[in-house]
């Protein structure tokens, strides 16, 4: 489920795995495969687990908002309102789809909150944050589309 909240490409992951391996925080085992390239299976070492625990315990600051759509809307004067409405509709659709996926996960894995393990409670909290974020995005897109559509009918 973590892939929904932190995106990384293969170009980012493999150099990091190499660094972690050199630091002794993970170890890799080469698995020979027929008809396919060999693969590596990684495991976290005791030292790696300690480093991860340390990192989790460190305070973290809220991430600044970095969103292309907001920059494009803020700079609307360069393009037509119709162009911005198209962008908003596209984003709304994407957020509706992601919200649907998150709600499906909630139903499938977290339908009985009283029976959740301690680990599942933390996973559920992470998912709930994603659901709230996606709900907020959909609501905001709806609000923006409604406001801009009113502007278009006035012109």
């Amino acid at each position: 489920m973590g892939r929904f909240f932190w995106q990384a490409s293969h170009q980012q992951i493999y150099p990091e795995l190499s660094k972690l391996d050199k630091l002794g925080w993970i170890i890799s085992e080469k698995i020979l495969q027929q008809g396919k390239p060999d693969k590596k299976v990684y495991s976290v070492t005791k030292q790696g687990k300690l480093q991860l625990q340390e990192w989790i315990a460190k305070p973290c600051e809220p991430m600044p908002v970095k969103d292309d759509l907001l920059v494009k809307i803020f700079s609307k004067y360069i393009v037509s309102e119709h162009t911005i409405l198209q962008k908003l509709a596209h984003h709304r659709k994407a957020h509706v789809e992601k919200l649907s996926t998150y709600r499906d996960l909630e139903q499938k894995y977290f339908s009985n909150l009283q029976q959740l393990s301690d680990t599942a409670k933390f996973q559920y909290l992470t998912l709930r944050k994603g659901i709230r974020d996606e709900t907020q995005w959909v609501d905001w897109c709806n609000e923006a589309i409604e406001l801009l559509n009113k502007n278009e009918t006035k012109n």
Side-chain angles (χ1 to χ4, degrees):
M1 203 164 32
R3 73 180 186 275
F4 292 113
F5 303 103
W6 188 271
Q7 300 293 321
S9 68
H10 288 281
Q11 291 84 1
Q12 292 171 305
I13 292 171
Y14 289 108
E16 290 302 318
L17 285 172
S18 180
K19 287 179 199 174
L20 295 174
D21 197 10
K22 286 177 186 166
L23 290 167
W25 296 356
I26 61 172
I27 55 173
S28 62
E29 178 185 353
K30 192 180 236 182
I31 307 293
L32 301 175
Q33 301 187 110
Q34 289 190 348
K36 299 184 215 176
D38 296 342
K39 72 177 181 178
K40 282 186 177 179
V41 175
Y42 293 90
S43 301
V44 179
T45 64
K46 187 175 181 177
Q47 184 183 4
K49 187 174 181 179
L50 291 172
Q51 290 295 324
L52 182 58
Q53 289 170 338
E54 240 180 72
W55 176 77
I56 291 170
K58 284 182 184 177
C60 55
E61 295 298 318
M63 296 294 292
V65 175
K66 292 166 77 172
D67 191 283
D68 293 354
L69 178 64
L70 296 177
V71 173
K72 290 176 181 187
I73 289 174
F74 188 80
S75 304
K76 180 269 167 212
Y77 59 89
I78 297 173
V79 296
S80 71
E81 227 166 82
H82 179 73
T83 300
I84 297 299
L85 280 165
Q86 287 178 321
K87 297 287 178 212
L88 285 164
H90 172 78
H91 273 262
R92 182 188 180 288
K93 181 178 185 276
H95 288 291
V96 165
E97 289 170 3
K98 195 181 280 188
L99 179 58
S100 176
T101 298
Y102 289 174
R103 286 197 170 137
D104 289 347
L105 289 169
E106 183 179 37
Q107 278 301 119
K108 184 174 182 180
Y109 297 107
F110 305 105
S111 60
N112 190 341
L113 297 181
Q114 286 72 36
Q115 292 184 352
L116 292 181
S117 68
D118 286 344
T119 299
K121 286 177 186 175
F122 290 101
Q123 293 170 345
Y124 175 69
L125 289 171
T126 305
L127 179 63
R128 285 296 306 156
K129 176 64 171 125
I131 289 170
R132 285 174 169 242
D133 286 351
E134 294 307 318
T135 301
Q136 184 273 333
W137 266 109
V138 171
D139 290 347
W140 180 81
C141 286
N142 288 338
E143 178 183 340
I145 289 167
E146 182 180 338
L147 177 67
L148 295 176
N149 278 331
K150 283 180 183 175
N151 285 349
E152 278 203 341
T153 57
K154 285 181 184 178
N155 295 336

